[in-house]
Amino acid sequence: MTGRHHLFIPGPSALPDDVMRAMDRPTIDHRGPAFQALAHDVQDGLRWIFGCAGPVVTYPASGSGAWEAALVNTLSPGDQVLMYESGQFASLWAEIAGRLSLKAEILPGDWRRGAEAQRIEDRLRADPGHRIRAVCVVHNETSTGCTADIPAIRAALDAAGHPALLMVDTISSLGSIPYRADDWGVDVTVGGSQKGLMLPPGISFNALGPKALEAAKTATLPRSYWAWEPVIRLNADGFFPYTPATNTLFGLRAALAMMRAEGLEAIFARHRRLARATRAAATAWGLELQCAVPSEYSAALTALRVPEGASADRLRQVALASFDLSLGNGLGKLADRVFRIGHLGHLNDLSLISALAGVEMSLGLADIAHQRGGVAAAMGVMAEAQRQGEPA
Ligand code: PLP
């Protein structure tokens, strides 16, 4: 098919030309002065984007590596961790904890809302001996399109007077939805490259607060490649203890420059608008949203349920075959029940309209019961935003 592929999965997201150009260059010596300057630049930018004054450890690994790193650096064999089951990604993180010989206690969820602060507070109050060493939550559950209120969860730990570490997965929220690690009292923030940061998959992050650095001194889970300490020590001079993902870091520098130029508030407003437009389309089509709590709707992606008896995977196949449009699939127990539209990263109104048009046509071609008018509803949201003076 001619023209560009339409990548509308909730990450990896579309790569800006500036990022691709920045990476399309010879690899340099990662022990030389040019690399040092690059490493210092991206470290500054990462602290800015995470909202954290402490170190940000960068791994040449997908997000799952950074999940593991957060646990092995701070905890010891047999430690209890409280994991809130907001969806597939929270469940996968809990599985990793179990495999690492941690006692992962899961607060069960229905996958239709984000982690609830009150339930976390109630559970922590029932732990007067402070056996729970960490609370792990996913900020933006990419399988459901629901977000969690992280400041409320911080307040829940404080209200319970509980010293557990707070660890937050921002893999699909960072750079798309407001996040402030230090202001919100998060001890370890896990991030990834391939979503709001507009980079290819392959690098991931742990942003660290002082309490996490303290915990790392006594934690005894085995760790080598994931150990924070050597990375932090060498990063101070702009180096890494292993070969870093040099060219991706060039891309990161370019992406951070684009984000500084647009401004975080404008980026977040753009994501909110694209999410509103997508939900307006869903409502017009008569499709139910997977996220059942409006205050928790994600600005980065929307998961739409197909009517009983219809196949979300068939819709996705039709969209790909007919329009070269990739939509996100339903994960875990949502397989074939939902499809997900990613509206994060390098995206604007008209690119989203192309995806929504593809969905509307595919709904018809796949014979899925719906009403027309989704694209028109989304255009209405965008036009209204223009009238209100919102930058596109
Ligand atoms: N956490 C969230 C919220 C995710 O969306 C993903 C991937 O989509 C992951 C963790 C796992 O990251 P990766 O697939 O990069 O290992």
Tab-separated table of all heavy atoms in Angstrom, residues 10-12 61-65 67 89-90 92 138-143 169-173 190 192-195 201-204 331 340, ligand 1:
chain	number	residue	atom	x	y	z
A	10	PRO	N	-1.394	1.620	21.122
A	10	PRO	CA	-0.951	2.507	22.227
A	10	PRO	C	0.520	2.280	22.576
A	10	PRO	O	0.875	1.969	23.696
A	10	PRO	CB	-1.872	2.128	23.380
A	10	PRO	CG	-2.584	0.898	22.977
A	10	PRO	CD	-2.223	0.518	21.579
A	11	GLY	N	1.344	2.433	21.624
A	11	GLY	CA	2.779	2.283	21.751
A	11	GLY	C	3.213	0.887	21.363
A	11	GLY	O	2.524	-0.076	21.738
A	12	PRO	N	4.342	0.772	20.655
A	12	PRO	CA	5.156	1.860	20.145
A	12	PRO	C	4.337	2.840	19.294
A	12	PRO	O	3.437	2.431	18.573
A	12	PRO	CB	6.222	1.161	19.293
A	12	PRO	CG	6.298	-0.225	19.845
A	12	PRO	CD	4.928	-0.545	20.335
A	61	ALA	N	16.954	-1.661	27.493
A	61	ALA	CA	16.011	-2.775	27.710
A	61	ALA	C	14.602	-2.247	27.489
A	61	ALA	O	14.367	-1.046	27.614
A	61	ALA	CB	16.134	-3.288	29.153
A	62	SER	N	13.681	-3.142	27.201
A	62	SER	CA	12.285	-2.720	27.120
A	62	SER	C	11.778	-2.435	28.529
A	62	SER	O	12.479	-2.676	29.522
A	62	SER	CB	11.440	-3.792	26.431
A	62	SER	OG	11.006	-4.758	27.366
A	63	GLY	N	10.550	-1.967	28.625
A	63	GLY	CA	10.000	-1.573	29.920
A	63	GLY	C	10.020	-2.685	30.953
A	63	GLY	O	10.177	-2.431	32.149
A	64	SER	N	9.874	-3.921	30.513
A	64	SER	CA	9.838	-5.039	31.467
A	64	SER	C	11.142	-5.125	32.257
A	64	SER	O	11.147	-5.517	33.427
A	64	SER	CB	9.590	-6.366	30.738
A	64	SER	OG	8.402	-6.284	29.995
A	65	GLY	N	12.255	-4.780	31.623
A	65	GLY	CA	13.540	-4.768	32.332
A	65	GLY	C	13.515	-3.739	33.450
A	65	GLY	O	14.004	-3.995	34.564
A	67	TRP	N	10.901	-2.689	35.019
A	67	TRP	CA	10.033	-3.245	36.070
A	67	TRP	C	10.870	-4.082	37.037
A	67	TRP	O	10.777	-3.952	38.250
A	67	TRP	CB	9.015	-4.193	35.432
A	67	TRP	CG	7.666	-3.674	35.125
A	67	TRP	CD1	7.078	-2.528	35.571
A	67	TRP	CD2	6.705	-4.356	34.300
A	67	TRP	NE1	5.799	-2.451	35.068
A	67	TRP	CE2	5.546	-3.545	34.295
A	67	TRP	CE3	6.694	-5.547	33.579
A	67	TRP	CZ2	4.392	-3.912	33.593
A	67	TRP	CZ3	5.552	-5.896	32.884
A	67	TRP	CH2	4.419	-5.088	32.881
A	89	PHE	N	-1.155	-5.145	32.450
A	89	PHE	CA	0.235	-4.768	32.738
A	89	PHE	C	0.533	-4.855	34.232
A	89	PHE	O	1.595	-5.316	34.636
A	89	PHE	CB	0.579	-3.420	32.113
A	89	PHE	CG	0.672	-3.559	30.614
A	89	PHE	CD1	-0.367	-3.149	29.788
A	89	PHE	CD2	1.761	-4.192	30.034
A	89	PHE	CE1	-0.309	-3.349	28.415
A	89	PHE	CE2	1.833	-4.397	28.666
A	89	PHE	CZ	0.796	-3.969	27.850
A	90	ALA	N	-0.439	-4.464	35.058
A	90	ALA	CA	-0.256	-4.632	36.499
A	90	ALA	C	-0.091	-6.116	36.824
A	90	ALA	O	0.735	-6.503	37.661
A	90	ALA	CB	-1.459	-4.052	37.246
A	92	LEU	N	1.157	-8.453	34.866
A	92	LEU	CA	2.481	-8.923	34.424
A	92	LEU	C	3.571	-8.503	35.413
A	92	LEU	O	4.502	-9.263	35.693
A	92	LEU	CB	2.800	-8.375	33.029
A	92	LEU	CG	1.953	-8.938	31.875
A	92	LEU	CD1	2.310	-8.228	30.568
A	92	LEU	CD2	2.150	-10.436	31.723
A	138	VAL	N	0.162	0.949	38.424
A	138	VAL	CA	0.355	1.388	37.047
A	138	VAL	C	-0.406	2.705	36.871
A	138	VAL	O	-1.606	2.764	37.159
A	138	VAL	CB	-0.154	0.304	36.064
A	138	VAL	CG1	-0.080	0.812	34.625
A	138	VAL	CG2	0.637	-0.983	36.238
A	139	HIS	N	0.299	3.754	36.463
A	139	HIS	CA	-0.334	5.074	36.321
A	139	HIS	C	-1.385	5.052	35.221
A	139	HIS	O	-2.500	5.533	35.398
A	139	HIS	CB	0.750	6.115	36.023
A	139	HIS	CG	0.250	7.525	35.971
A	139	HIS	ND1	0.893	8.496	35.253
A	139	HIS	CD2	-0.814	8.135	36.549
A	139	HIS	CE1	0.243	9.641	35.398
A	139	HIS	NE2	-0.792	9.444	36.187
A	140	ASN	N	-0.996	4.527	34.072
A	140	ASN	CA	-1.915	4.478	32.933
A	140	ASN	C	-1.947	3.030	32.453
A	140	ASN	O	-0.978	2.557	31.873
A	140	ASN	CB	-1.393	5.403	31.828
A	140	ASN	CG	-2.327	5.470	30.634
A	140	ASN	OD1	-3.457	5.942	30.751
A	140	ASN	ND2	-1.868	5.003	29.481
A	141	GLU	N	-3.047	2.335	32.728
A	141	GLU	CA	-3.132	0.905	32.388
A	141	GLU	C	-3.423	0.808	30.889
A	141	GLU	O	-4.533	1.082	30.430
A	141	GLU	CB	-4.220	0.286	33.262
A	141	GLU	CG	-4.381	-1.172	33.303
A	141	GLU	CD	-3.167	-2.081	33.123
A	141	GLU	OE1	-2.892	-2.411	31.955
A	141	GLU	OE2	-2.548	-2.521	34.110
A	142	THR	N	-2.402	0.395	30.161
A	142	THR	CA	-2.488	0.413	28.692
A	142	THR	C	-3.472	-0.633	28.166
A	142	THR	O	-3.905	-0.552	27.021
A	142	THR	CB	-1.082	0.144	28.097
A	142	THR	OG1	-0.102	0.759	28.929
A	142	THR	CG2	-0.958	0.735	26.708
A	143	SER	N	-3.830	-1.622	28.988
A	143	SER	CA	-4.775	-2.634	28.503
A	143	SER	C	-6.225	-2.177	28.610
A	143	SER	O	-7.101	-2.752	27.956
A	143	SER	CB	-4.595	-3.935	29.292
A	143	SER	OG	-4.816	-3.719	30.674
A	169	ASP	N	4.445	2.671	37.612
A	169	ASP	CA	4.740	2.400	36.204
A	169	ASP	C	4.129	3.529	35.382
A	169	ASP	O	2.905	3.713	35.383
A	169	ASP	CB	4.118	1.045	35.850
A	169	ASP	CG	4.123	0.738	34.355
A	169	ASP	OD1	4.250	1.666	33.536
A	169	ASP	OD2	3.960	-0.437	33.996
A	170	THR	N	4.999	4.303	34.707
A	170	THR	CA	4.498	5.388	33.843
A	170	THR	C	4.812	5.092	32.368
A	170	THR	O	4.936	6.010	31.562
A	170	THR	CB	5.154	6.740	34.195
A	170	THR	OG1	6.581	6.632	33.929
A	170	THR	CG2	4.947	7.137	35.630
A	171	ILE	N	4.936	3.797	32.058
A	171	ILE	CA	5.415	3.455	30.708
A	171	ILE	C	4.523	4.062	29.629
A	171	ILE	O	5.021	4.570	28.618
A	171	ILE	CB	5.589	1.925	30.582
A	171	ILE	CG1	6.820	1.538	31.403
A	171	ILE	CG2	5.725	1.487	29.117
A	171	ILE	CD1	7.171	0.079	31.437
A	172	SER	N	3.215	4.061	29.833
A	172	SER	CA	2.363	4.640	28.779
A	172	SER	C	1.767	5.994	29.171
A	172	SER	O	0.875	6.493	28.490
A	172	SER	CB	1.253	3.660	28.383
A	172	SER	OG	0.425	3.374	29.484
A	173	SER	N	2.268	6.603	30.243
A	173	SER	CA	1.761	7.943	30.588
A	173	SER	C	2.830	9.022	30.430
A	173	SER	O	2.515	10.174	30.117
A	173	SER	CB	1.239	7.966	32.028
A	173	SER	OG	2.231	7.551	32.947
A	190	VAL	N	8.929	3.906	36.948
A	190	VAL	CA	9.366	3.085	35.818
A	190	VAL	C	8.848	3.741	34.533
A	190	VAL	O	7.675	4.101	34.451
A	190	VAL	CB	8.786	1.654	35.957
A	190	VAL	CG1	9.125	0.807	34.746
A	190	VAL	CG2	9.283	0.998	37.240
A	192	GLY	N	9.327	4.089	29.940
A	192	GLY	CA	9.785	3.418	28.717
A	192	GLY	C	9.876	4.413	27.571
A	192	GLY	O	9.355	5.519	27.647
A	193	SER	N	10.560	4.009	26.510
A	193	SER	CA	10.864	4.947	25.426
A	193	SER	C	9.791	5.044	24.358
A	193	SER	O	9.681	6.064	23.669
A	193	SER	CB	12.175	4.513	24.745
A	193	SER	OG	12.088	3.169	24.287
A	194	GLN	N	8.999	3.981	24.181
A	194	GLN	CA	8.298	3.794	22.910
A	194	GLN	C	6.887	4.363	22.856
A	194	GLN	O	6.118	4.010	21.976
A	194	GLN	CB	8.267	2.298	22.571
A	194	GLN	CG	7.345	1.430	23.425
A	194	GLN	CD	7.999	0.860	24.662
A	194	GLN	OE1	8.915	1.450	25.211
A	194	GLN	NE2	7.527	-0.280	25.127
A	195	LYS	N	6.564	5.252	23.824
A	195	LYS	CA	5.181	5.742	23.850
A	195	LYS	C	5.195	7.261	23.778
A	195	LYS	O	5.458	7.829	22.728
A	195	LYS	CB	4.472	5.184	25.073
A	195	LYS	CG	4.709	3.672	25.172
A	195	LYS	CD	3.576	2.877	25.637
A	195	LYS	CE	3.984	1.420	25.764
A	195	LYS	NZ	2.956	0.486	25.433
A	201	PRO	N	11.093	1.302	20.537
A	201	PRO	CA	11.255	0.504	21.749
A	201	PRO	C	12.731	0.245	21.990
A	201	PRO	O	13.532	0.306	21.054
A	201	PRO	CB	10.530	-0.808	21.420
A	201	PRO	CG	10.220	-0.785	19.982
A	201	PRO	CD	10.433	0.583	19.451
A	202	GLY	N	13.100	-0.041	23.232
A	202	GLY	CA	14.489	-0.466	23.461
A	202	GLY	C	15.190	0.169	24.627
A	202	GLY	O	16.186	-0.367	25.094
A	203	ILE	N	14.730	1.332	25.107
A	203	ILE	CA	15.330	1.826	26.348
A	203	ILE	C	14.220	2.084	27.371
A	203	ILE	O	13.070	2.336	27.007
A	203	ILE	CB	16.244	3.072	26.184
A	203	ILE	CG1	15.488	4.261	25.611
A	203	ILE	CG2	17.459	2.746	25.350
A	203	ILE	CD1	16.338	5.537	25.606
A	204	SER	N	14.603	1.977	28.634
A	204	SER	CA	13.618	2.163	29.708
A	204	SER	C	14.330	2.756	30.917
A	204	SER	O	15.565	2.821	30.947
A	204	SER	CB	12.956	0.829	30.049
A	204	SER	OG	13.929	-0.137	30.370
A	331	LEU	N	-6.015	-7.345	25.425
A	331	LEU	CA	-4.965	-8.140	26.081
A	331	LEU	C	-5.565	-8.967	27.216
A	331	LEU	O	-6.512	-8.536	27.889
A	331	LEU	CB	-3.881	-7.222	26.642
A	331	LEU	CG	-3.090	-6.446	25.583
A	331	LEU	CD1	-2.209	-5.392	26.248
A	331	LEU	CD2	-2.239	-7.378	24.732
A	340	ARG	N	-8.044	-1.158	20.890
A	340	ARG	CA	-7.522	0.045	21.529
A	340	ARG	C	-6.990	1.013	20.492
A	340	ARG	O	-6.300	0.599	19.549
A	340	ARG	CB	-6.406	-0.335	22.521
A	340	ARG	CG	-6.907	-1.197	23.688
A	340	ARG	CD	-5.755	-1.733	24.529
A	340	ARG	NE	-4.864	-2.565	23.746
A	340	ARG	CZ	-3.558	-2.662	23.921
A	340	ARG	NH1	-2.968	-1.970	24.881
A	340	ARG	NH2	-2.823	-3.423	23.147
B	1	PLP	N1	3.791	-1.295	31.539
B	1	PLP	C1	2.918	-0.721	30.722
B	1	PLP	C2	1.894	0.213	31.280
B	1	PLP	C3	2.969	-1.003	29.348
B	1	PLP	O1	2.092	-0.411	28.522
B	1	PLP	C4	3.957	-1.895	28.855
B	1	PLP	C5	4.043	-2.196	27.420
B	1	PLP	O2	3.204	-1.838	26.638
B	1	PLP	C6	4.840	-2.473	29.757
B	1	PLP	C7	4.753	-2.132	31.086
B	1	PLP	C8	5.888	-3.438	29.329
B	1	PLP	O3	6.853	-2.784	28.604
B	1	PLP	P1	7.704	-3.510	27.458
B	1	PLP	O4	6.710	-4.175	26.542
B	1	PLP	O5	8.444	-2.371	26.829
B	1	PLP	O6	8.592	-4.493	28.119
